[in-house]
Amino acid sequence: DSLSSLPASGKEIASIEKLMKGKTWYGQQASLQQFKAQAEQYRFIHLSTHGKADDRVGDYAYLAFGSPTALGNFEKLYARDLYNYSLNADMVVLSACETGIGKLQKGEGIISLARAFAYAGAKSIFTTLWQVNDDKTKDLMIDFYKNLKNGKTKDAALRNAKLDFLKKNDGELMHPFFWAGMIGIGDMSEVRD
């Protein structure tokens, strides 16, 4: 797949880095190799990138890493590969399209990126249910982290971010497409330092 650029992604990560005093990687530095080397060391992982569900099997849902090649191709982390990871993450935020949807398999549930991160050890996951808007998801995520920083539980932080989004926007931006696609799964307790 060739994927377009995500101009708001860098702004999203830069704002969250300031709020949470984290470590960030951009462009070529945000490679799949870097993720493989670093992911197991972090309690909080925020991925702002492209995501693509796979409604045939589910294991081929992916997140894009790094900068695109001249043909617009990215390195891909597939859901099937995440089953081999051992994460110590209290929270994984998948700020990307379609990370919580996939193939429903009898006895297994929905085979998606969110499920793969849960299997790898993430205690809570924030995931999307459809293709999301890059710019408006940035706004939602920044408010989400501000609420976390102020001591809100994870679910309350997301709820308040959504309510704030509705207060700040009007017209077509009030449509659920722009704010309702992100959901939380798992441990919703507050973030502790």
Side-chain angles (χ1 to χ4, degrees):
D1 293 316
S2 88
L3 304 167
S4 62
S5 65
L6 296 171
S9 177
K11 295 173 189 171
E12 178 179 326
I13 294 299
S15 296
I16 293 167
E17 178 184 26
K18 284 181 188 173
L19 281 167
M20 304 304 284
K21 298 181 180 20
K23 175 83 173 133
T24 58
W25 292 275
Y26 298 90
Q28 288 300 93
Q29 291 180 330
S31 67
L32 183 54
Q33 187 67 22
Q34 184 75 270
F35 179 80
K36 288 177 180 178
Q38 301 287 330
E40 294 177 2
Q41 301 173 37
Y42 287 91
R43 288 181 46 224
F44 305 103
I45 300 171
H46 183 98
L47 298 167
S48 181
T49 186
H50 282 289
K52 183 74 174 149
D54 174 27
D55 59 0
R56 294 167 306 189
V57 180
D59 287 338
Y60 291 95
Y62 67 82
L63 291 172
F65 279 82
S67 295
T69 64
L71 299 174
N73 298 320
F74 288 80
E75 296 176 296
K76 296 174 184 169
L77 173 64
Y78 290 97
R80 69 171 193 256
D81 297 329
L82 282 162
Y83 297 127
N84 296 317
Y85 281 71
S86 180
L87 299 177
N88 188 32
D90 291 335
M91 182 174 78
V92 172
V93 178
L94 302 175
S95 183
C97 294
E98 304 177 347
T99 57
I101 59 175
K103 176 75 173 170
L104 176 61
Q105 290 189 358
K106 188 174 183 177
E108 293 294 325
I110 296 174
I111 308 301
S112 68
L113 286 161
R115 180 183 185 273
F117 272 97
Y119 190 89
K123 294 171 189 69
S124 65
I125 302 150
F126 287 84
T127 187
T128 57
L129 300 176
W130 52 74
Q131 290 185 4
V132 294
N133 178 281
D134 179 42
D135 188 51
K136 295 306 167 188
T137 300
K138 166 195 59 94
D139 297 342
L140 186 68
M141 290 293 90
I142 291 168
D143 282 347
F144 169 68
Y145 279 94
K146 285 178 182 175
N147 291 324
L148 286 176
K149 196 74 175 156
N150 289 329
K152 300 276 187 208
T153 59
K154 294 173 196 146
D155 54 342
L158 182 60
R159 179 182 184 277
N160 288 353
K162 289 178 178 184
L163 291 172
D164 289 343
F165 183 93
L166 290 171
K167 288 177 191 171
K168 294 175 187 175
N169 292 285
D170 59 9
E172 77 172 24
L173 294 178
M174 294 187 75
H175 190 281
F177 167 79
F178 293 99
W179 58 267
M182 180 70 69
I183 63 166
I185 303 168
D187 176 16
M188 291 293 121
S189 61
E190 67 276 1
V191 171
R192 294 180 187 92
D193 292 330

